[in-house]
Amino acid sequence: MTARHFLILLISATADAQDFLDPVAPVEAETPQVEGALDALVVQATAPPAETGLAAFSLQPVSVIPAETLRRNAAASLGETLGWEPGVSSNYFGPGASRPVIRGFDGFRVRTLRDGLGTFDLSDISPDHGVALEPFLLESVEIHRGPASLLYGNAAIGGAVNARSRVLARELPGRPLSGGWEARYETNGDSPAAAGHLSVERGPIVLQATLSARESGDIRIPGRARSSAYEALENPMVFDPSLGASFPVPNPSGRLPNSAHESVTWSAGLSWLPEEVPLLLGVSYSRFDSEYGVPYIFPGDATDLFGDSSLDLQQDRVDLEGSLEMEGRFISKVELRLAWADYQHSENFTGRGKDLGRDFTDSRFMKEAYEGRIDVHHQTFDGRLTGIAGITGLSERLAAVRTVVPPPDLFRIPGLLKMENFGLHAVEKFQTGDWTFQLGHRVEHVDVTDASLASIGYRPRERGYSFSTSGGIGWQREGIGNWDRLGVSGTVSLTDRQPTAIERYAFWNNAGIGRFVVGGDLDGTPLDAEKSRGFDLGVEAARGPVTLRLNGFHYDFDHYIFLQEDPALTGGFGRAAQYIGRSAAFTGFEGEIEWRIREPLTLTLMTDYVHGRNRDDREPIPRMPPLRIGGRLEWRKGPVTVGLEVRHAFAQDRVKPAPRQELEAEDYTLVNLDAAWDLPVPGKNLTFFLRGTNLLDEEARPSTSFRKDVAPLPGIGLALGLRQSF
């Protein structure tokens, strides 16, 4: 089902569905839902702390993306949806794939989760791999920064993004039949999209289903696809064997070729929620399908294959979820989550020009994963001491077939990587008066194996333990001096992270980044565990209509693991990159000011910055976010909301020098305008919305992107649509 078909189906079915529901639910009963009509479709205003536990046990506030913010910014990828949040960037890899970058950390150091468990995709091993989540179908998103992410694993040093999905009903809807839908059209890319959900309640049983579809053609861009600096450095050429000469590769203007994308997502879940017992038992199945193009990058050799790459990925997933609340007892709640996922994607090549007709599957990845966790919440009877303790387990098998020599002499190598992770965690929080104290610890055992060449007796394996400890103190008081509220918090963390199987044993060509990737263990010296020491300081203050939030952080790494390009490291393989470990330091801040100027008008200002440095080689860490400033002015009165957003990213000139050259990123300013109107149609809960993006048609190339020099952000665009809940 395409997005166009789904959009037509939703609109044509809405009138009949509403006519059926109106006699059952009077207009008066629906009136309170008008303000949050879309909440039923995409998100809820907040995610209850008890849902995951971690939000309630963090000294630092866990950012919960409000419903209207999430639905307003919803894009085709998770990174672009969250990229406007303070401290969060996107590793933009074209419209079809992007992942959140938190405080300059990406990949393995930022866990992406769905309902407290991993997303079970391969977005952490390469930026061209998409996250298996559909932003349109999320209820809310929690962003955990720094030590706040300890309960989600020692690997999540930078943070964690926990998306709360709609695959299960976690509370009784209160109506026999309820749901919602949204249909929209975006001019840039000629992109229709539609999403909907439906809940059927019969006593304590709730059946919940979701469906979404989107598609887009090649996006329009301001200017040319490849930057002038990239053209001067790379001088992309393609060899024409019929003429025996090389010619420049045309630099497209006005549109980004091979940036089209489409996806279809659906789920079905069954929940048991007896009213007489605070119990939840649920099971769900979900399917995620996505196909998208990867914008062209010069491979460095005019005689190499010339054409387009695309990814086609699918994921099947089953989740089991249970929870039981016990008020007035030492153990106040027990939560259980289990999930299984089968993920696969193929990386396909389509020849152009001299290679027209030479189409083949370059690589194929298959991943099977199991993850489970048990969390036990406890508290003393006076409520001053609260805590959470639990067990987590994760097992992954990654099989891959990769092309070493492409057609006509096709040669492939199979591979099989295994990873087992078992962890114990506990966090305790004690409150007395204005003071709060917190202490947390996590221990993990990690076992990684490369079984690719087990048939000839070569089976490298590394096992080890990692430990993470965090402690913090917070103070908050109402009515102090000229402040209505003032709070200060500080945390210290000591974290170990064992290298992943990819970081140790990778040995394949990664077309997405245009490099041959080599694991750090393959030079005969295994990578050491990554160790970090972190310090976070937060201030929150409120006076009248103004609220201020400011966080500063610093991390020291003894063995920071990252990909570094250097032909000498890999025996002169040309454009090769190897995982290496270096001493590194990261320092930065994020801040936000909210000013309720008067009843209908609110101004929000933000800023963030991070400075990352490789101290051993005395050079910058690659792909660091720049200093950013921005704001949103919102006017809300009655059924109408209008917002103006401005975000300026300063130039990023702290880049790696030649010969491992990273090009500088120029500054840019993005301006967006949005409006929403709750239509005065009695009992229909209809909202019309529109959003204009990049209104200045600015050429924007994020420094956090591997492909910033060949794939700028989309140019000016307009999205408009309709939402309804019932």
Side-chain angles (χ1 to χ4, degrees), residues 49-64:
E51 174 57 29
T52 63
L54 195 146
F57 297 100
S58 173
L59 265 181
Q60 296 173 309
V62 175
S63 300
V64 180

Side-chain angles (χ1 to χ4, degrees), residues 518-526 569 578-579:
V518 179
D521 284 20
L522 299 185
D523 60 3
T525 304
L569 288 172
Q578 185 179 32
Y579 285 104

Side-chain angles (χ1 to χ4, degrees), residues 450-505:
D450 182 2
S452 302
L453 301 176
S455 60
I456 61 173
Y458 181 71
R459 190 185 177 94
R461 181 182 184 184
E462 290 289 337
R463 290 171 288 181
Y465 287 90
S466 63
F467 304 88
S468 292
T469 302
S470 69
I473 183 171
W475 175 86
Q476 181 172 295
R477 179 172 294 177
E478 305 286 337
I480 175 171
N482 294 325
W483 298 97
D484 299 331
R485 183 180 75 256
L486 179 64
V488 180
S489 65
T491 61
V492 178
S493 62
L494 302 174
T495 303
D496 295 348
R497 183 180 76 87
Q498 290 289 331
T500 66
I502 304 297
E503 291 170 316
R504 290 189 182 278
Y505 307 127

Side-chain angles (χ1 to χ4, degrees), residues 481-624:
N482 294 325
W483 298 97
D484 299 331
R485 183 180 75 256
L486 179 64
V488 180
S489 65
T491 61
V492 178
S493 62
L494 302 174
T495 303
D496 295 348
R497 183 180 76 87
Q498 290 289 331
T500 66
I502 304 297
E503 291 170 316
R504 290 189 182 278
Y505 307 127
F507 190 77
W508 54 72
N509 182 61
N510 187 322
I513 63 175
R515 301 294 184 269
F516 193 92
V517 178
V518 179
D521 284 20
L522 299 185
D523 60 3
T525 304
L527 291 171
D528 293 332
E530 187 174 88
K531 298 180 181 293
S532 72
R533 297 170 295 279
F535 308 91
D536 285 70
L537 180 64
V539 177
E540 183 172 351
R543 181 180 180 185
V546 179
T547 301
L548 165 70
R549 290 175 288 271
L550 179 64
N551 291 301
F553 58 89
H554 176 80
Y555 300 95
D556 272 315
F557 288 85
D558 289 339
H559 195 73
Y560 181 78
I561 301 171
F562 64 102
L563 264 180
Q564 177 162 280
E565 181 182 355
D566 189 347
L569 288 172
T570 53
F573 270 128
R575 298 198 170 199
Q578 185 179 32
Y579 285 104
I580 64 172
R582 295 290 187 268
S583 296
F586 293 76
T587 305
F589 62 82
E590 59 236 359
E592 188 174 36
I593 298 176
E594 181 179 330
W595 178 21
R596 298 177 298 280
I597 300 174
R598 55 182 61 186
E599 182 59 31
L601 198 62
T602 301
L603 175 65
T604 304
L605 302 175
M606 65 76 62
T607 182
D608 56 22
Y609 175 72
V610 61
H611 178 284
R613 183 170 181 78
N614 173 349
R615 295 187 302 186
D616 286 349
D617 299 331
R618 298 185 178 181
E619 50 185 45
I621 296 292
R623 296 173 298 281
M624 283 291 100

